Amino acid sequence: KAKRSGRNGYAFFDRTLHEQVRIRVDLEQALRGALDRGELSVHYQPIVDLATDELSGFEALMRWNHPELGTVSPLEFIPIAEDTGLIVESGAWLLEEAAAQLVRWRAQRPAGLPELHISVNISVRQLRDAALVGVVRGVLDRTGLPASALWLEITESGVMEDPEGVLADLRALRDLGVTLCIDDFGTGYSSLSYLRFIPAGIVKIDRSFLAGVGAGSANEAIVRAVVAMAHTLGQEVVAEGVETLVQRDWLREHGCDRAQGWLYGAPRPAKAQLLWMDRSVSMLHLGGLPS
Ligand code: C2E
Ligand code: MG
Ligand code: MG
Ligand code: MG
């Protein structure tokens, strides 16, 4: 694009900065009423057991349907929700919505299949909110979801921002019976010495490390190291962003416990979610379905 020579000779970059600020302010304004107007919703993405390709649970992901802008990406609105503190209220809403949905799905589970779990992202801002443990306990009480079926995803950077402040709450959540997951593992500035103190049962390997896995990429060494480290610490490993059978086969062969990604299914609204997708995965992706 050409440089603009407007009043006072403002350069193009000044304009876009202005525009960026305005867009941000507009989004912030709109986000303030989004929950009350019913514009927020939850999508569910399957997490599968790699050994069997059987559905093990779901990650709940927040969606915002803006009346004019359409679907706004969480990568755009979650940071705003964090800065403004709106994430505290909307996060609590999502947690309750997702827990209630999982209780319904668990009731429909055919005999012989494992109990499903639900994984919910918790941002730094929520971690620092003194009410978090009470909010989680309240949701478990009201929905009847067993704590063992709830996973909470936190990021290394979220913990690192205020380790002393959040570790007590993380331990309290663990003591409730909730499973903590370290999300996007490998992307933050984590210090291994702190990592040791996070009472997490699960490590989720960020999808950026999945590129080229199974095709000889140097990422394979990283994934192998993470799996070895986590298993030594008694933690399970979930691979995020699994898109191909090559990745799936390599991960399975190298002891990764669970996987999540477009290979198994994209995030979808509850009513569109294919349940018991062990069968549909094998049919859709392993060549069993007529085209
Ligand atoms: P995340 O928690 O790491 O979630 C995984 C993201 O990867 C999701 O993006 C998901 O749609 C995407 N993904 C899943 N499988 C694949 C794949 O095979 N390939 C590719 N390319 N992408 C895949 P989404 O839904 O856009 O969410 C982005 C981020 O926004 C999340 O990353 C999380 O950090 C944040 N977020 C979403 N919902 C919530 C929420 O309710 N609360 C909080 N605090 N953060 C949320
Ligand atoms: Mg996550
Ligand atoms: Mg993640
Ligand atoms: Mg991620």
Side-chain angles (χ1 to χ4, degrees):
K1 276 185 196 170
K3 201 171 162 175
R4 261 190 204 234
S5 49
R7 266 187 318 146
N8 306 329
Y10 277 179
F12 173 75
F13 289 113
D14 298 323
R15 294 293 289 230
T16 49
L17 189 61
H18 268 289
E19 274 159 21
Q20 280 171 19
V21 170
R22 223 208 31 226
I23 288 168
R24 156 97 198 199
V25 169
D26 286 352
L27 276 182
E28 192 178 310
Q29 201 67 26
L31 191 57
R32 288 190 187 280
L35 182 58
D36 290 339
R37 289 191 302 268
E39 292 166 13
L40 298 183
S41 64
V42 192
H43 280 198
Y44 298 86
Q45 184 175 35
I47 298 174
V48 303
D49 186 331
L50 261 174
T52 58
D53 267 352
E54 248 174 29
L55 180 66
S56 105
F58 295 95
E59 177 172 2
L61 294 155
M62 200 182 289
R63 293 294 179 260
W64 179 19
N65 304 298
H66 186 282
E68 283 122 43
L69 299 174
T71 309
V72 184
S73 164
L75 297 174
E76 247 183 295
F77 77 81
I78 295 287
I80 301 178
E82 287 185 27
D83 291 350
T84 53
L86 291 165
I87 193 68
V88 172
E89 196 190 350
S90 50
W93 168 81
L94 177 135
L95 179 65
E96 182 130 13
E97 187 80 8
Q101 179 60 61
L102 198 76
V103 167
R104 291 192 287 275
W105 276 337
R106 281 164 65 100
Q108 298 164 16
R109 175 184 63 109
L113 287 184
E115 295 274 18
L116 299 176
H117 55 84
I118 186 81
S119 205
V120 174
N121 294 285
I122 301 291
S123 74
V124 202
R125 183 67 181 250
Q126 290 169 281
L127 276 182
R128 288 173 146 182
D129 186 70
L132 178 67
V133 180
V135 166
V136 171
R137 199 185 286 117
V139 165
L140 294 175
D141 285 350
R142 283 190 296 278
T143 61
L145 183 72
S148 60
L150 180 62
W151 294 8
L152 296 179
E153 303 192 1
I154 56 175
T155 59
E156 307 157 61
S157 17
V159 177
M160 289 316 158
E161 260 187 46
D162 180 18
E164 281 75 27
V166 303
L167 281 177
D169 276 359
L170 294 181
R171 292 200 192 97
L173 289 168
R174 192 250 341 250
D175 292 345
L176 281 181
V178 166
T179 298
L180 298 177
C181 312
I182 303 180
D183 199 2
D184 303 340
F185 185 78
T187 60
Y189 298 96
S190 45
S191 129
L192 287 174
S193 61
Y194 267 120
L195 219 45
R196 226 165 17 128
F197 294 112
I198 304 177
I202 291 182
V203 167
K204 296 187 80 174
I205 303 184
D206 191 70
R207 75 181 156 85
S208 55
F209 299 112
L210 268 278
V213 156
S217 157
N219 280 338
E220 291 175 359
I222 296 175
V223 175
R224 262 201 297 263
V226 173
V227 170
M229 183 203 71
H231 284 173
T232 303
L233 296 173
Q235 296 166 323
E236 281 194 21
V237 179
V238 179
E240 297 190 288
V242 177
E243 296 179 356
T244 68
L245 286 169
V246 172
Q247 291 170 322
R248 195 277 309 266
D249 291 345
W250 188 94
L251 291 163
R252 180 185 274 170
E253 202 174 304
H254 290 83
C256 186
D257 303 286
R258 298 175 210 246
Q260 173 182 358
W262 295 343
L263 175 66
Y264 294 100
R268 291 193 186 89
K271 59 179 179 339
Q273 190 58 64
L274 295 170
L275 291 175
W276 331 129
M277 24 138 328
D278 49 328
R279 270 166 248 141
S280 57
V281 163
S282 42
M283 287 199 298
L284 285 168
H285 299 288
L286 305 183
L289 258 196
S291 49

